[in-house]
Amino acid sequence: MGTTRIQLDAALDSRRLPEMETLLDGRQQKKIAGRDDWSIRMGHFWSGLSAGVELIELCNGPLSIYILPTRGMGIWQARYEDLQVGWNSPIKQPVHPQFVDLKGRNGLGWLDGFNELLCRCGLASNGPPGHDEGASSPLESDLTLHGRIANLPASDVELFADDESQTVGVSGVVDECTLFGPQLRMKSTVTSKIGSSSFLIRDEITNIGCDSTELQLLYHTNVGKPFLEEGAVVECAADRVIPRDNRAAEGIRSHGKCLGPTAGFAEQVYYYHLLADANGETQTLLKNKAGNHGISLKFKTVQLPCFAVWKCTQDERAGYVAGLEPATNYPNFKTFERHHGRVINLAAGATYTSELQIEIHPDAESVAQASAQIRKLQGTCQQQINPQPTAPFCPID
């Protein structure tokens, strides 16, 4: 007699979605902007390292954004029509924070759960691990890679659809608090206009403690194929470009150009001082070689004054990816960033707000428009390209 087998573990398949329940949609509730193909669905993974991870699909019609309340309101991936947006990490499915030991792997345990299109680094610290001699208390002195916020679950999750603004959205609250230490509360709201190819992330971070506390925030935005490929280009308007270290200095003359999957490639990181328009807004873009697929980030430099590009064009099986990283600071060790005035001191009761808009460009016309906007921002300003690591942007070896 033959054996009948049933595969129950959905987490074995790359980017496999769990069963989702529709909570709001345009067919049962109401049309918005004349469309009924929007929806907000929710489900959870139930096996393996993903067991218990909640997933929300925010769909505006052609665009779906997959949000992870269990992982700090990170964005796992997105899809615009048939265009997949994200990257193929060796970690295939979202990992529940209970399985991520931040202190493991010599303080690099954060990497055990890293596979999102967008995850935040912070809130009390980001950057590499180590001992922070300038910490206000021993509780805060031993830092792990990129902090805690990406591995903390959200509460007070709310789903909404709004006729007036023609948007659908999801919000959640994440507390990064400890006794005798920082007490930071982040309310994150993700919204998208019906029928658009973009979405907006608005984070309001409040110090709910009774004393001032330090704040660092970086949006680790990670993109692979079909945007990243040999000949892909990162574009941004900047007056300074600085290699993070000697390894990055090796490729400084091609800092904006990307390789195809390259076995043995060691990551390169470049820091930019960006230019902004009269409203303080800037834009960065990653586009493929043909210029018919792209993804751009828009943000205000007063909120996110620092920008880094992470090129990790290693073998596809190792995780072929590029990162566009707007932040309040450069991803150096916190002691260095504090010394150079790039660590925020948030007063008791104060709120720090940042907004980041991510847009998918599905065709050559849309990519060309984004590229033209960046050229307009650059204007006649010549980029100063530093051939070596340069203070105060990064430590000098």
Side-chain angles (χ1 to χ4, degrees):
M1 231 180 128
T3 301
T4 300
R5 300 181 185 274
I6 300 175
Q7 172 65 329
L8 297 178
D9 192 353
L12 292 178
D13 294 336
S14 176
R15 298 181 178 180
R16 176 79 174 268
L17 300 179
E19 184 176 344
M20 307 282 281
E21 177 186 0
T22 300
L23 301 178
L24 291 173
D25 69 20
R27 293 179 177 87
Q28 296 184 42
Q29 272 78 29
K30 55 187 173 181
K31 288 186 178 182
I32 298 179
R35 303 182 67 137
D36 65 359
D37 55 350
W38 66 268
S39 64
I40 306 178
R41 302 193 302 158
M42 187 169 184
H44 70 275
F45 296 89
W46 56 273
S47 60
L49 299 179
S50 301
V53 173
E54 294 176 324
L55 179 68
I56 295 174
E57 180 193 27
L58 181 66
C59 176
N60 73 10
L63 174 65
S64 288
I65 307 115
Y66 296 91
I67 302 161
L68 299 169
T70 311
R71 290 189 52 81
M73 294 294 289
I75 310 295
W76 180 33
Q77 56 181 281
R79 182 181 293 110
Y80 182 76
E81 296 178 340
D82 295 329
L83 199 58
Q84 187 77 27
V85 188
W87 63 296
N88 190 17
S89 169
I91 298 94
K92 301 304 180 186
Q93 296 292 102
V95 178
H96 196 287
Q98 66 179 315
F99 300 117
V100 179
D101 178 7
L102 295 177
K103 291 188 176 182
R105 302 183 185 274
N106 298 314
L108 299 175
W110 182 90
L111 295 170
D112 290 346
F114 178 45
N115 73 355
E116 292 100 331
L117 165 63
L118 182 144
C119 62
R120 294 167 188 79
C121 303
L123 295 171
S125 69
N126 60 44
H131 183 75
D132 179 14
E133 295 182 354
S136 60
S137 75
L139 281 175
E140 302 173 64
S141 60
D142 289 326
L143 306 182
T144 57
L145 177 66
H146 286 328
R148 300 173 58 210
I149 191 64
N151 288 280
L152 294 172
S155 61
D156 299 326
V157 176
E158 182 180 355
L159 320 176
F160 58 91
D162 185 71
D163 272 330
E164 184 176 350
S165 63
Q166 298 188 345
T167 60
V168 289
V170 175
S171 68
V173 175
V174 186
D175 283 348
E176 184 179 311
C177 300
T178 187
L179 183 65
F180 309 130
Q183 298 173 42
L184 293 166
R185 171 169 292 167
M186 179 184 74
K187 180 179 181 181
S188 179
T189 305
V190 182
T191 56
S192 185
K193 283 189 174 294
I194 297 295
S196 76
S197 61
S198 67
F199 59 97
L200 178 69
I201 299 165
R202 177 182 172 87
D203 291 339
E204 300 165 278
I205 302 165
T206 301
N207 177 6
I208 59 174
C210 56
D211 298 309
S212 65
T213 192
E214 293 182 330
L215 167 67
Q216 292 186 289
L217 176 63
L218 181 146
Y219 293 93
H220 214 306
T221 312
N222 311 291
V223 186
K225 291 184 173 181
F227 307 92
L228 180 65
E229 61 181 3
E230 184 176 2
V233 177
V234 176
E235 295 183 355
C236 59
D239 57 9
R240 294 285 295 275
V241 186
I242 304 96
R244 181 187 66 177
D245 51 26
N246 290 334
R247 164 61 185 149
E250 295 172 7
I252 186 61
R253 294 302 168 186
S254 57
H255 61 87
K257 299 178 182 178
C258 300
L259 299 175
T262 305
F265 183 89
E267 65 179 10
Q268 294 174 316
V269 178
Y270 299 96
Y271 295 160
Y272 295 78
H273 184 261
L274 297 179
L275 302 171
D277 64 17
N279 296 317
E281 189 170 77
T282 193
Q283 183 172 4
T284 65
L285 170 71
L286 171 65
K287 65 180 184 181
N288 68 349
K289 183 178 181 180
N292 61 353
H293 293 322
I295 181 169
S296 69
L297 277 58
K298 291 182 180 179
F299 52 94
K300 291 187 175 181
T301 55
V302 68
Q303 297 174 345
L304 300 168
C306 302
F307 181 69
V309 171
W310 173 54
K311 297 200 294 188
C312 193
T313 52
Q314 56 194 348
D315 188 279
E316 288 188 67
R317 292 168 296 179
Y320 178 66
V321 64
L324 308 179
E325 305 175 12
T328 60
N329 59 279
Y330 293 107
N332 302 307
F333 190 62
K334 187 176 181 180
T335 303
F336 182 86
E337 290 299 287
R338 183 189 295 113
H339 176 72
H340 290 286
R342 292 189 292 261
V343 174
I344 295 167
N345 278 295
L346 194 62
T351 297
Y352 192 89
T353 301
S354 63
E355 292 185 334
L356 175 65
Q357 179 177 302
I358 298 179
E359 183 170 0
I360 293 90
H361 303 280
D363 52 44
E365 180 181 2
S366 178
V367 172
Q369 289 173 352
S371 187
Q373 181 61 36
I374 291 170
R375 289 196 303 273
K376 183 179 178 181
L377 286 171
Q378 187 70 46
T380 59
C381 180
Q382 295 294 314
Q383 287 188 356
Q384 178 182 335
I385 300 176
N386 290 57
Q388 299 295 329
T390 306
F393 296 93
C394 48
I396 302 173
D397 293 338

